[in-house]
Amino acid sequence: MNKKIVVIGGGTGQGNLLNGLKKFTDKITAIVTVADDGGGSGLIRTESRMLPPGDIRNCLLALTDLDPLIEQLLRHRFVSGSIKNQNFGNLLILAFYEIFGDFEQAINYVGKMIGAKGNVIPSTIEQVRLVGKLKNDNVVVGESNIASTAISQMTEIKSLELLPSSPKATCSAIEAIRNADAIIIGPGSLYTSIIANLLIPEIGAALKESKAKKIFICNIMTEHGETDNFTPLEHVEKVLQYAPGIIIDYVIINNKKLESDATQLYEADEKFEVLPCNGEKDSIEKKGIKVIYADLAKVTEIGHIIHDADKTAKLIFENL
């Protein structure tokens, strides 16, 4: 069943899911936000005027089956000198960007070089920035500043915008959406990874017009400063708010409550499990969305709580 799958998002959640999906199809397109302005990617963006490569690099690596040492190399972060904290994979993309003078071409070449089983596409090639309007009426510019400012000012995100407000989507992203058999939204940071893509007008319009099956994967944990106290229903409602007219066929929600020792570190950072709430299934299904509950939470060896990529991918393909 070699279905054409599009995955929209960013961050570690998107890359993790791609790890599972590649076992079912090699016709995968990851559409990735480029609003990141923090860390090594943000520094590359500032100094080289290239779009941030971090999330794109993660997705490329997730779509490969590399020798472990080569993968370690591409994930390696330098520990000293003028390139301290920079990632080797990011610098590789930057090198090809300088050679080709084209960001998409650089990504495609790196993907071919490492044997990626699919395509990774930036949602836009414009230098976009996220703008968060907070409930205390303050405005925050920059993806890396929004959650931290909401936390420090003890408020919440009221709305999100892009600057410029109507960037052009990449043609390849629109083509992938139009040709997809299924479109998966999430998992990933709700505002800064998922909604950041939906704010691009052509992306939203293409999703609305698409006849593909659309599946939203709800996050397993809340994110402090972004989705504090959010329930599954609130996650769904935010996606529908920022992609008006889109028809979501399914929402996949983890219903496995984890052992307390797995969640202690998260709870210390004000991050909590997103679990089914009484009456919410009916509220979601009244919107025409089928709810699928499943045991999908996984704790990694280093204590990170993620979706079990293999279980999640299998569940997706069972419902196509």
Side-chain angles (χ1 to χ4, degrees):
M1 186 164 61
N2 216 16
K3 298 280 190 180
K4 295 177 182 174
I5 307 294
V6 168
V7 184
I8 296 176
T12 56
Q14 185 178 27
N16 177 53
L17 179 62
L18 295 174
N19 261 314
L21 293 173
K22 71 183 179 187
K23 298 170 185 175
F24 291 84
T25 179
D26 59 4
K27 295 180 179 178
I28 302 172
T29 299
I31 297 176
V32 186
T33 178
V34 287
D36 185 12
D37 59 2
S41 285
L43 188 61
I44 286 175
R45 179 176 183 171
T46 300
E47 292 184 344
S48 304
R49 299 301 298 164
M50 184 181 82
L51 292 169
D55 286 351
I56 286 166
R57 178 204 71 235
N58 280 334
C59 288
L60 285 171
L61 290 174
L63 290 170
T64 63
D65 292 308
L66 289 169
D67 175 277
L69 187 57
I70 299 300
E71 181 171 351
Q72 184 180 349
L73 170 66
L74 290 166
R75 294 189 186 278
H76 178 72
R77 198 169 291 279
F78 295 93
V79 296
S80 62
S82 61
I83 55 172
K84 183 178 179 179
N85 295 324
Q86 271 300 352
N87 178 283
F88 179 81
N90 287 357
L91 296 179
L92 182 65
I93 294 172
L94 174 60
F96 281 114
Y97 172 70
E98 292 185 350
I99 290 168
F100 295 127
D102 183 280
F103 190 54
E104 284 191 86
Q105 192 175 352
I107 296 166
N108 291 338
Y109 192 85
V110 172
K112 289 176 183 176
M113 187 174 72
I114 65 176
K117 299 176 180 178
N119 299 309
V120 180
I121 301 171
S123 52
T124 179
I125 55 169
E126 294 189 31
Q127 289 281 355
V128 294
R129 301 200 75 189
L130 277 178
V131 179
K133 294 186 177 180
L134 306 180
K135 287 190 176 179
N136 64 3
D137 293 329
N138 286 337
V139 176
V140 185
V141 179
E143 182 266 348
S144 61
N145 300 321
I146 294 172
S148 60
T149 304
I151 293 167
S152 66
Q153 297 184 5
M154 293 183 289
T155 187
E156 299 172 13
I157 298 170
K158 181 179 180 181
S159 63
L160 203 66
E161 297 176 0
L162 282 178
L163 188 67
S165 60
S166 298
K168 285 192 66 63
T170 50
C171 295
S172 48
I174 299 303
E175 183 180 358
I177 291 170
R178 287 174 177 164
N179 294 329
D181 295 306
I183 298 168
I184 302 165
I185 302 171
S189 298
L190 182 62
Y191 282 101
T192 53
S193 291
I194 296 171
I195 290 172
N197 287 304
L198 304 181
L199 285 169
I200 298 171
E202 290 172 310
I203 297 280
L207 288 171
K208 181 179 177 181
E209 294 167 6
S210 169
K211 304 300 181 186
K213 285 276 181 71
K214 299 178 193 71
I215 300 169
F216 173 58
I217 302 179
C218 187
N219 290 334
I220 291 174
M221 306 295 293
T222 61
E223 292 194 67
H224 193 28
E226 281 204 37
T227 55
D228 295 286
N229 303 311
F230 268 39
T231 66
L233 174 61
E234 287 170 300
H235 280 81
V236 170
E237 287 177 336
K238 286 298 176 186
V239 171
L240 295 176
Q241 176 186 340
Y242 285 94
I246 184 177
I247 296 173
I248 296 175
D249 296 280
Y250 305 104
V251 57
I252 295 175
I253 301 169
N254 171 64
N255 66 351
K256 175 186 177 181
K257 184 168 179 59
L258 295 165
E259 298 294 332
S260 60
D261 57 343
T263 60
Q264 280 179 350
L265 289 176
Y266 279 80
E267 290 172 2
D269 290 331
E270 300 291 325
K271 300 175 182 179
F272 301 92
E273 292 175 90
V274 180
L275 292 166
C277 298
N278 289 336
E280 281 208 338
K281 182 178 180 182
D282 288 342
S283 297
I284 293 171
E285 293 192 333
K286 283 178 182 176
K287 300 177 185 294
I289 304 169
K290 180 180 177 181
V291 175
I292 301 174
Y293 290 136
D295 173 355
L296 298 174
K298 175 181 176 180
V299 183
T300 69
E301 291 180 358
I302 57 174
H304 291 165
I305 298 172
I306 61 174
H307 281 85
D308 185 309
D310 292 342
K311 279 186 181 181
T312 307
K314 184 173 182 290
L315 183 62
I316 288 168
F317 275 87
E318 286 173 350
N319 286 278
L320 293 185

